[in-house]
Amino acid sequence: MIRLENLTKHFEVPGKEPIIAANNVSMEVGKGEICIFLGPSGCGKTTALKMINKLIPKTSGKIYIDGKDTDDLDAITLRREIGYVIQQIGLFPNMTIESNICVVPDLLRMDKKKSREKASELMDMVNLDPSIFLKRYPRELSGGQQQRIGVIRALAADPPVLLMDEPFGAIDPINRAVIQDEFLKMNAELGKTVLFVSHDINEAIKMGDKIAIFRDGILEQCDTPDEILSNPKNSFIKDFVGTDRALKRLTLIKVSEAVLPFLAAVKAEDSLEKAENKMRDRNVHLAVMVGPQGRARGYLTREKIKGEEGGMVGEYISPIPGTIHENDNLHDAVSQMYVHACDWLPVVDDNGTYKGFITQHIIASMLGETPRKRGDKIT
């Protein structure tokens, strides 16, 4: 979808050597992917972003969008096909939220009724009630709410590409996490190709299908978050992502991808002999007792029932330490294990149905595995 070939930018300084802001940057971002531009201040990431929509003219190199050479497009035409979001938001204070969102559709003379319907749909996507907020003015919204409007304004004309320059950097951590989640959910539905400048490695890991790390105008590494965390290309990348990069990988893996591939579930009315046989056959030391609806109700271990005869499972169960949802990530699972001082957790779905369990041992073993793309299953 977006391809950069030897993209270079020199800023001329009278009487001095030119400043090289981008030096032969080459990379490709596929359709529907989110690529995070990351690196220290002054590394060239924002310059690279702004050259894509010609806010900064390039010195040399090529930029292709959906196979088209942007040299063949004038800046105005190009920018109308690219959404752009900045940290400062830039809403027009004398216009309603609805008018702010519809600025570009109105400039493009799009159908007014359809553009207003689109504005209302986008407001719903970011959890802002259109019946309440569309007729308000920017000053009547919080900073976080204004930032959401800035994002959906860039999407109002339905551009295939979205450029975002530290869009959530000025928002407090709690609201930032909420908006990040809303954006990921929205883009999963809309499928935009996104280039996103950030300073935050955790934000990049959470949001990026790819991460492009810059230093002094050079693209040092562009790869999946898991590959960058597992195999940093050089010492700069290793230091930049942090010494806890193995733990950061835990946020990339869902519990459902790591749940152990057996369901040692028993019922209260089962005999101890049946429970013990099931645990032995499946080579596990514990079994989870489920209720009539398949929900986890307790557990028992082989050690606890060893030597017992004639009893029923319901007489020997211990309370479960807690549960973890199959859509949570392994970082959440480890946190819950420490909260409950345990080394395992039952895995449940939206209905609380028992799906299997996860252990500290399987999580630890996965940290040394070959990097995977998002969604790859553990086998």
Side-chain angles (χ1 to χ4, degrees), residues 21 29 37 60 83 85 117 136 157 174 186 195 214 252 272 287 348 350:
V29 180
F37 285 12
S60 62
V85 185
E117 289 175 351
R136 290 186 179 180
I174 294 176
M186 178 171 60
L195 299 184
F214 291 79
L252 299 172
L272 292 183
V348 300
D350 287 336

Side-chain angles (χ1 to χ4, degrees), residues 276-288:
E276 188 172 18
N277 289 339
K278 180 173 285 190
M279 287 186 278
R280 184 178 61 250
D281 292 344
R282 300 182 182 184
N283 195 30
V284 293
H285 76 282
L286 65 84
V288 172

Side-chain angles (χ1 to χ4, degrees), residues 360-376:
Q360 285 188 14
H361 181 269
I362 190 65
I363 292 173
S365 68
M366 290 174 64
L367 294 181
E369 290 188 351
T370 302
R372 298 161 298 106
K373 296 180 181 178
R374 285 186 193 274
D376 284 355

Side-chain angles (χ1 to χ4, degrees), residues 38 160 177 180 199 201 295 326 348 353 359:
L38 201 61
Q180 288 168 348
H199 275 100
I201 180 64
R295 296 187 176 93
E326 60 184 348
V348 300
T353 303
T359 68

